[in-house]
Amino acid sequence: MSLEGKAAVVTGGARGLGRAIALRLAKDGVAVAVWDLNGAGAQETAQMIIDQGGKAIGLAADSSLATEIAAAANESRAALGPISILVNNAALSPFAKFEDLDEETWDRLMAINLKGPFLCVKEIVPDMLAQGWGRIINIASSSAQAGTPNQAHYAATKGGVLGFTKALAMEFATRGITVNAVPPGFVNTEGLQESPVDVEAYAPMTPMRRAGRPENIAAAVAFLASEDADYITGHTLSVNGGRYLN
Ligand SMILES: NC(=O)c1ccc[n+]([C@@H]2O[C@H](COP(=O)([O-])OP(=O)(O)OC[C@H]3O[C@@H](n4cnc5c(N)ncnc54)[C@H](O)[C@@H]3O)[C@@H](O)[C@H]2O)c1
């Protein structure tokens, strides 16, 4: 599945799934711009790629802010060339009882988890249109498919990501750009460990009786980015060990 010569942006690539996705794309020959609020972590991921013989740049960028995205995109293009793969992965995954949810929290999550992917596509899709080739892969969540208590705001953002994916897929279908979503189920990352979810207790309740590994998500993203996935668009590729069957 070589993607030699292509350049990608992976948002939220300082750790967790974003880091695994960046490393996997680099293994498949992609030059990777790793963006994250945590610039030091993004640079660390980029250095891991460079140490393995790949090409990468790590940048600090808040993916809810158009100005920071534009600056990161310009720096990425200067270092790696035009971008043809975008993985919208950056998100917060907080928990709150509905009665405790306030408008400010709702708006902040919408800005990062849903408006962020919109802003990144806005910035990068002209590169793809100019090349007549592009791959947009949006990381959603099984929470939007199956629901999760105490995550009404989060599930709403990720449900939005699923709808956004399908609408964009139709709009760009004749222009060489595929748009797909990967909703992870329950994957052991720093983010999950910091959440109230008890990984040890929850894992045995999933059909596969284990949490997923970041590499499981990265493999699905790499497939959707590849030429092999040329005729797949608007698809939701669930990677969840059976948590939700679509
Ligand atoms: N881990 C799971 O079980 C799971 C399940 C379903 C969906 N997901 C989704 O997968 C993605 C990655 O999850 P993870 O578990 O690796 O999370 P994580 O918390 O470990 O990592 C998220 C990264 O995103 C970055 N980030 C947060 N806000 C940002 C912003 N405004 N701009 C730029 N970067 C920002 C963080 O700094 C962090 O490096 C998210 O979209 C999450 O919703 C994860």
Side-chain angles (χ1 to χ4, degrees):
M1 287 204 271
S2 175
L3 286 167
E4 214 68 52
K6 306 270 189 215
V9 164
V10 179
T11 69
R15 67 180 199 176
L17 302 187
R19 173 170 282 178
I21 291 164
L23 291 172
R24 173 59 200 261
L25 289 176
K27 209 173 122 205
D28 289 355
V30 178
V32 186
V34 184
W35 298 359
D36 203 291
L37 210 51
N38 170 3
Q43 278 165 18
E44 202 178 279
T45 303
Q47 193 57 49
M48 289 165 83
I49 291 171
I50 292 162
D51 290 347
Q52 289 167 18
K55 211 170 161 190
I57 183 171
L59 297 169
D62 181 335
S63 53
S64 67
L65 297 176
T67 47
E68 294 201 8
I69 292 167
N74 287 333
E75 219 176 310
S76 302
R77 290 181 188 111
L80 310 175
I83 310 300
S84 53
I85 301 167
L86 168 63
V87 184
N88 280 311
N89 165 80
L92 296 180
S93 316
F95 286 73
K97 282 171 87 90
F98 186 76
E99 294 91 319
D100 298 336
L101 256 183
D102 56 34
E103 191 178 345
E104 196 186 329
T105 308
W106 178 274
D107 287 347
R108 183 73 193 123
L109 206 64
M110 286 287 162
I112 296 169
N113 292 13
L114 186 54
K115 188 173 153 192
F118 159 71
L119 292 174
C120 289
V121 172
K122 268 296 227 196
E123 175 63 39
I124 291 167
V125 88
D127 289 36
M128 298 180 182
L129 289 169
Q131 295 169 84
W133 194 99
R135 297 283 192 263
I136 297 170
I137 299 149
N138 296 321
I139 305 303
S141 172
S142 62
S143 303
Q145 300 169 301
T148 330
N150 304 323
Q151 284 205 301
H153 51 341
Y154 175 72
T157 64
K158 294 298 189 174
V161 166
L162 291 175
F164 177 60
T165 299
K166 291 179 187 181
L168 278 188
M170 297 185 84
E171 204 161 330
F172 291 119
T174 59
R175 290 187 274 175
I177 302 172
T178 68
V179 190
N180 292 288
V182 174
F186 176 67
V187 187
N188 209 349
T189 61
E190 294 91 331
L192 187 69
Q193 283 158 17
E194 286 164 14
S195 81
V197 174
D198 181 341
V199 180
E200 295 295 312
Y202 189 84
M205 290 191 275
T206 61
M208 284 199 182
R209 309 275 188 267
R210 67 169 177 86
R213 292 183 295 274
E215 294 73 21
N216 298 139
I217 307 303
V221 171
F223 167 65
L224 290 171
S226 75
E227 290 293 354
D228 288 341
D230 195 38
Y231 200 51
I232 301 174
T233 198
H235 187 68
T236 300
L237 178 49
S238 303
V239 184
N240 60 29
R243 159 161 153 74
Y244 176 82
L245 307 176
N246 56 337

